[in-house]
Amino acid sequence: MLALTLDLDDTLWPVMPALERADSELDAYLRAHYPTVAAAWPIPAMRELRAKVALERPDLAHDFTTQRHITLQQAFAACGIHEVPLDTLWNIYFNARNSVDLYPDSLPALARITARWPIASLTNGNADLDRIGIREHFAHHVCARDSGTLKPDRRIFHLAAEQLGIAPRHILHVGDDPELDVVGARDAGLHAAWINRTGERWPNALGAAPDLELHDMTALADWLEAHHAS
C-alpha cells in the first residue's frame, strides 16, 4: 500500500451532533434577527425545505453548500424578504458544522499513519480541514463540491488517485459507509477498508465483504504498520 484516501464524516468524527448544532445556531440567529423567518421555518420545516431543494435540483447533488444557499433564499422569499444575508448565515452554519468532536482514536492514528503514508481526504460533505484543525495530516483534500461528482462515482476516487500521483490499485480507501466508501472504492480499482464502529453486519446485497473491516482508526494504524511497514 503506497497511499490512502480517507472519508471524514462518521469516520473521524460523528457528524450528526455537528449538523444539529449548526441548525440550532442558525435558528437562534434567525429568531434574534429575523423572527418572521424563524417562526415560519423552524428547524424541522427548514430541513424539509432543504430536502425539497435537493430533490428539485439533482444537478446540485454534489454541492450541499449551494443547496443550503438556495434553501435560505427560498425561506426568506416566502416571508417577503428578498435581501438575504447569505454570507452571515452561511458563516454561522459553516462554523458550527465544522465544530466537530473527533473520536478519541482519530488524531493519534492519523499521526501514526501520516508519518509513513500520504493521505487524501475524500468526502461528499463540506467539512473544512483548516477550520477543524487537521489540515496538516492530509496531502490533498478532494470533495464532491469541487470535483463535481459524488462517491460512489469512480471519478472522484480517480481524481484523488491523480492528486496523489499513485495508481488506484496501490491506494487503500477508508470509510464508514458500505456503499459509498467500500463499493465505490472497489469499483474504482482501489482497495477498501470499512471502519465499522458500531458493529453493523455487512449488507450482503452489496456483494462481497470489504478487504478489511476495522472497529476504529487505531486498528487501521495497527494493521498498516503490521502489514505495510516497509
Side-chain angles (χ1 to χ4, degrees):
M1 212 66 60
L2 299 179
L4 291 85
T5 53
L6 181 64
D7 176 58
L8 299 175
D9 292 328
D10 289 328
T11 297
L12 295 183
W13 56 76
V15 70
M16 281 309 300
L19 295 177
E20 290 171 354
R21 182 164 50 246
D23 282 342
S24 294
E25 292 193 11
L26 181 61
D27 181 66
Y29 181 86
L30 292 175
R31 283 188 279 109
H33 299 278
Y34 295 92
T36 302
V37 177
W41 299 98
I43 291 174
M46 192 73 81
R47 288 175 177 168
E48 289 179 7
L49 180 58
R50 185 186 176 283
K52 179 174 177 289
V53 169
L55 187 64
E56 293 174 345
R57 295 295 305 271
D59 58 309
L60 294 175
H62 65 286
D63 190 347
F64 297 154
T65 299
T66 301
Q67 287 182 19
R68 194 163 293 280
H69 286 178
I70 293 172
T71 300
L72 290 168
Q73 289 169 330
Q74 290 189 4
F76 273 67
C79 296
I81 304 171
H82 299 286
E83 294 293 328
V84 184
L86 272 181
D87 288 345
T88 298
L89 297 174
W90 177 244
N91 281 332
I92 291 167
Y93 183 88
F94 198 54
N95 283 335
R97 185 261 183 269
N98 283 289
S99 179
V100 300
D101 296 316
L102 280 82
Y103 294 116
D105 53 277
S106 293
L107 279 180
L110 278 175
R112 290 169 59 190
I113 295 167
T114 55
R116 299 187 180 189
W117 299 274
I119 303 180
S121 61
L122 183 55
T123 178
N124 284 354
N126 50 14
D128 187 301
L129 299 180
D130 291 306
R131 295 185 190 225
I132 294 169
I134 57 173
R135 169 70 72 175
E136 64 183 300
H137 296 291
F138 294 89
H140 303 282
H141 177 59
V142 179
C143 66
R145 187 180 188 219
D146 292 341
S147 66
T149 187
L150 291 156
K151 293 181 296 182
D153 192 307
R154 67 185 61 190
R155 290 174 294 176
I156 194 170
F157 292 96
H158 290 168
L159 177 59
E162 290 172 11
Q163 292 199 10
L164 287 164
I166 296 174
R169 68 182 181 276
H170 296 305
I171 298 173
L172 176 68
H173 177 70
V174 181
D176 71 289
D177 190 284
E179 182 175 5
L180 302 184
D181 291 307
V182 176
V183 175
R186 197 160 53 195
D187 288 350
L190 287 74
H191 299 278
W194 182 29
I195 300 294
N196 182 14
R197 292 181 178 274
T198 56
E200 299 295 322
R201 296 186 63 179
W202 175 255
N204 291 327
L206 295 180
D211 305 318
L212 191 62
E213 180 179 341
L214 303 163
H215 64 272
D216 62 14
M217 291 291 294
T218 299
L220 172 66
D222 290 344
W223 183 87
L224 286 168
E225 290 171 356
H227 293 83
H228 297 277
S230 59

